[in-house]
Amino acid sequence: MSEIDAASASLIVPQIPSYEMKSSNPLKLGIMASGNGSNFEAIAQAIAAGQLNAQIQVLIYNNPGAKAAMRAANRGVEAVLLNHRDYKSREKFDHQIVEKLRQYDVEWVILAGWMRLLTKVLMDAFTDKVINVHPSLLPSFKGIHAVEQALAAGVKITGCTAHLACLEVDSGPILVQAAVPVLPDDTAETLHARIQIQEHRILPQAIALAAQRR
Ligand code: GAR
């Protein structure tokens, strides 16, 4: 590692205070994912390791063949495909999602790589109980291709954010953030991979924190 790289690396902010959850009842999570599902896996691992007192009631995914569904099957979590292409409007789609989440007795909704815009239908059904993870230090670089946006802007530090979601995309009260240095030879892939390591740490912590605050 060069001197510059080492200096940048030292700027990472990895220390997040440990958390304790007040409630002894496991949080009932509904996870929504569109693709790979590594954040789904991180939550499942945190639960299995006893770091997060929660249970995953259901995974909802919208893309047939999403790897997240395979991960759910491997962990014995029920996975439900709701394909947005089958619905005439975003609202109708969200109505179906809400119905499914209720059917599975979900209390907290976790957007773990959910790449669809949300409507009032879902937000009103789970007020202040929807958590999103995003690969940038919000409010910078909202929307798709956040990692590419950071590289194009030439920032030296980026990172990830877990926050309470609201109707505006990638917005809402921030719960936890972690910083990640941009190294001189980074590509979108290498940078995203390093950001994801941090996402996997902060998302379970953010869930616990949000539950604690209520
Ligand atoms: C994650 O990097 C997450 O932050 C991002 O999608 C990726 C999903 O990864 N979400 C957004 O960009 C939301 N605006 P995963 O499928 O491996 O969990």
Side-chain angles (χ1 to χ4, degrees):
M1 202 185 253
S2 76
E3 243 171 62
I4 291 177
D5 292 357
S8 294
S10 73
L11 290 171
I12 301 177
V13 184
Q15 294 306 329
I16 297 162
S18 64
Y19 51 86
E20 263 175 46
M21 293 176 55
K22 277 184 207 148
S23 159
S24 55
N25 296 328
L27 306 173
K28 296 177 193 167
L29 309 181
I31 300 185
M32 293 169 52
S34 294
N36 178 30
S38 70
N39 280 288
F40 165 88
E41 195 78 45
I43 295 167
Q45 269 172 19
I47 294 170
Q51 294 162 346
L52 177 65
N53 184 16
Q55 59 195 35
I56 304 174
Q57 306 287 99
V58 64
L59 167 79
I60 291 181
Y61 65 107
N62 64 314
N63 288 319
K67 196 171 165 198
M70 209 180 69
R71 295 182 191 266
N74 289 342
R75 290 200 172 258
V77 171
E78 283 201 51
V80 176
L81 170 64
L82 294 178
N83 189 334
H84 59 277
R85 300 161 191 89
D86 296 338
Y87 298 83
K88 289 213 168 83
S89 68
R90 289 189 193 277
E91 285 75 14
K92 288 206 167 86
F93 181 46
D94 278 4
H95 266 297
Q96 186 58 45
I97 294 173
V98 168
E99 196 175 300
K100 213 31 104 180
L101 292 170
R102 291 228 163 101
Q103 194 181 316
Y104 280 89
D105 198 20
V106 166
E107 205 186 344
W108 288 86
V109 180
I110 315 300
L111 307 174
W114 181 254
M115 304 310 272
R116 303 293 305 165
L117 294 177
L118 301 175
T119 70
K120 253 176 89 59
V121 174
L122 192 136
M123 296 312 295
D124 288 353
F126 290 92
T127 310
D128 291 337
K129 289 202 158 182
V130 182
I131 295 172
N132 183 41
V133 64
H134 183 74
S136 76
L137 290 175
L138 291 173
S140 293
F141 313 130
K142 297 176 182 179
I144 57 168
H145 305 313
V147 179
E148 287 84 348
Q149 289 182 55
L151 281 176
V155 295
K156 300 296 178 201
I157 298 174
T158 183
C160 50
T161 305
H163 63 99
L164 287 179
C166 66
L167 268 181
E168 196 189 323
V169 73
D170 299 324
S171 302
I174 290 170
L175 293 164
V176 187
Q177 289 185 308
V180 173
V182 180
L183 303 181
D185 53 355
D186 260 335
T187 63
E189 289 69 33
T190 59
L191 181 53
H192 195 193
R194 274 202 325 288
I195 291 172
Q196 287 223 286
I197 293 169
Q198 300 304 320
E199 288 186 338
H200 301 161
R201 295 174 56 243
I202 69 168
L203 184 54
Q205 291 178 330
I207 295 167
L209 192 65
Q212 216 176 56
R213 282 187 186 171
R214 287 186 69 88

